[in-house]
Every structure is written in structure tokens, then in C-alpha cells.
Amino acid sequence: MAGSARYIGGVVAVAGLAAVAAVFVQLRRAELTVAEVAGRAPAAPSITETIAAARPSPKGPRLDVLRGRAIGATPGASDRPMIANVAIVDLDRDGLSDVVAADAAVNKVVWLRQAPAGTYTERAIADVAGPAHVHAADLDGDGDLDLAVASLGVLFPNDARIGAVVLLEHDGRGRFTPHVVLDQVARVADVRSGDLDGDGDLDLSVAHFGYDRGETRWLEKTGPWQYASHPLQALSGPINAEIADIDGDRDLDIVTLVSQEWEEIYVFVNDGRGAFTPQRIFGASNEDFGSSWISLADLDRDGDPDVVYSNGDAFDYATTSGRNWNGLQWLENTGGARFTYHRIADIPGASSPQAADLDGDGDLDIAVVSAYNAWSDPQAQSLLWLENDGRQAFTLHDVTNTPTHLLTLAIGDLNGDGRPDLATGGMHMSWPYDRLSRLMVWTNGWPGAR
């Protein structure tokens, strides 16, 4: 009996040590110390606490002020559009905003040039395997806009090292030369540009989604289309790697959204010379929280960037409809890379939230799309508008339930009238296939908006 007791006690002790070891492994992967977790990281709210503590935005009337129309190639009867990302940018700098998109169905980056006003002509500008995100910037300092493209390699889950960062050098006349500056890495979901080491040129932040293995890193520009790689964190599932001065010290920090089993948001605080300290600013205890996107905006107009955050990914479910914990929230920047969590609304399948003054009243509203929803229900919305009252109390407005499966959203003035317009992309990986779209623009007709 005593021997059995000693055996059981030994098993319990070993299990306890294993649990402690597992914690330390996770801390190591996250590049966090025990002191940092105990002293600075916020407690991870349970999903029950998160939803119960929320005061969801009241429902307002349906809005018919966004008029949508398809642009670009028309999908065929058997086509399943898969637009992973869409951006609004005046790529040729002719004074008319264009649309650039990552078309994962055909593995191409496409440019829909607006010329003349209101007419969009599409052409492919590069072949990229599994394009996930397109970011426009003057990467070589020659006065025109180049493109930084995140390459997954393949759209669907895969742990092979097939990711890449592809930079498309623009000659200023509509021709692009590809430069692969990082390859044979975990699948890349995002790449952004900014001067991260204070030397006057544009470096890159990179989110490697991977699958079971992923990471976050930054690429230091060392010469023309040459970069040195600096790993920051070894966690699977990074979706975004935004760049902004988060803590107000006049250098650029990196903000990452890490999904998969982590469901966390990190700020990598920059010392101004490219040395970063990770700080977790949000973590959900629900491993199925479904993190789908972050964007940065000064939502409360207090002079620092806040984080607008959607959780609506349901692609890992057999039935890819949204979940009752999906929705929209914002993390209020309260200074020094400290944030306060606010739930805004429950939205099944929420994705790609973007902030802009959509109604011209001087505050920032939010537009958000839905990719995973109960599309057999005519009340299931694919595009919604959250109207800000100026004090960050939002009213939720339905916009449309057609088309379905909208994954990506961009905001910009497409027709030059001073109103923010929208562009959306459809990601039709699941049933039903009766309300398809590939690329659409939505003209803002809010009365008096400027």
C-alpha cells in the first residue's frame, strides 16, 4: 500500500513538473519571462466573462447608403472566388484611387486601375503563391509606390516552409519587377513597412502564420532589395504585423495578432534602434476565440493608436457558420503600451474591421465584413456599419446580406467626393455558392458626409 502511495505520488510529481515545464516552454516561445507574465500581462478573460461583461451595441435601422457594384473579372459559373486581401491605393499616382488585390484562387496580385473615373481595368501584375496580403509603400525611395506581398505558399493549412516575402518594384510606369527577399519560411500572412531602426529607410515586419509552427520577425534593410532577418517570437498563427508608434516615444513599434491556440495580441516595444521587447496586451482563454484581424486607429481621438480587433474565424469547423462569441472589440491605448479592453458588438464571422468617419460627423465609425455566417438566414449580414456617437458608443447598422462570404475590406475615397468608400473581396471556400462576389466597390452616399 505504501509502495502504491509512493508510486502515485511520484506520478503526480512528474505530472506537475511536466506542467511547469510546459508553461516554461510556452513562455520561451512567446519570448516572455515569468516576471513579465506575472507583473505586466493582463489576465486572460474567459469567453464567458468576455461576453457577459459586454454591453453589445444597440441595433439601429438598416442603412442603404452604400451602393455596391462588381469590378474586375466576372466569376464563371463554376468559379469560387478567393480574394484574401484588398487595398485602396492610387498606385499610378494619377489622382484616382485604384484597387489592388491578392487573388488566392489564381495565385496572382491584381491591379484594378481606375481610368477614367468610375472605370476599373484589371490586370495581373505578379504571380505569387498563396498571396495573403498586399501593402503599398515607396520601398526603394524613388518616388513611386511599390508593393510588399505576403506569400502563404498555399492557402490551406500546411506546416511546410513554403512562405515568402515578395517585393514588387514599380518602375513608375506600371511595370513591376519581383524581388523575393525571404523564402523557405513558415507561411507568411502579413508584411508591412516602416523605419524600425531609425536609419531613414523602410524595414519590414513579417507575420508567419505557419500552421503548427509560425513566428514573427522584422527584416532590416541593408541595401537595395536586401534585408537582414531578425526573429522576434516563435508562436504559430500570426495574422497581422502592424507598425505604429504605440507608446508615444517617436519610434515605431510592431503590433501582432496571434491566432491558432494562442488568441493573443502583442506589442513589440521598440527602443528606437530595432531592439524589441514583447508585451502581451490581450489574451482570450478560449482557444477557439477565432481571431481574424486587427487594424490600428485613434478611435477615441486622444492622440495615440488604438487596436480594432475582430474574432470571427470559423474555418476550422465542419460547419463554417459563425459562433455566438464572434464579434468586434477595441483595445483602448491608455499610454505606455497599456490597453483597456472594450467589447463593441456580437457579429458572427466578423473580419477585417476598418475605421473611418463614414458619416462625416467628426468621429471614427467602423465598417466590418463577415465571411463565416449562417447564410441560409436572410438576416445574416456580410457587411455592417458601426456608427460612433463620438464617445465610443456604437450603433450597429445592417448594410447587406448579399454577397456572402466577405473576408476582406478596405476604406478610401474612390470617387473623389471626400466621402470614404469601400472595397471588398469574397472568399468562397464553403457553401452556399448562390451569392458570389469577387471584387466589389461600395460608394458612400451618406447625406452630407465629407
Side-chain angles (χ1 to χ4, degrees), residues 144-185:
D144 53 46
L145 288 176
D146 312 296
L147 296 173
V149 185
S151 170
L152 291 166
V154 295
L155 183 62
F156 294 95
N158 195 305
D159 232 8
R161 298 180 69 81
I162 52 178
V165 172
V166 182
L167 306 183
L168 303 179
E169 178 186 3
H170 191 190
D171 68 357
R173 297 182 297 277
R175 293 186 293 269
F176 294 84
T177 301
H179 301 274
V180 179
V181 298
L182 184 70
D183 63 356
Q184 297 183 9
V185 292

Side-chain angles (χ1 to χ4, degrees), residues 7-25:
Y7 171 76
I8 293 171
V11 169
V12 170
V14 170
L17 288 172
V20 171
V23 169
F24 276 95
V25 167

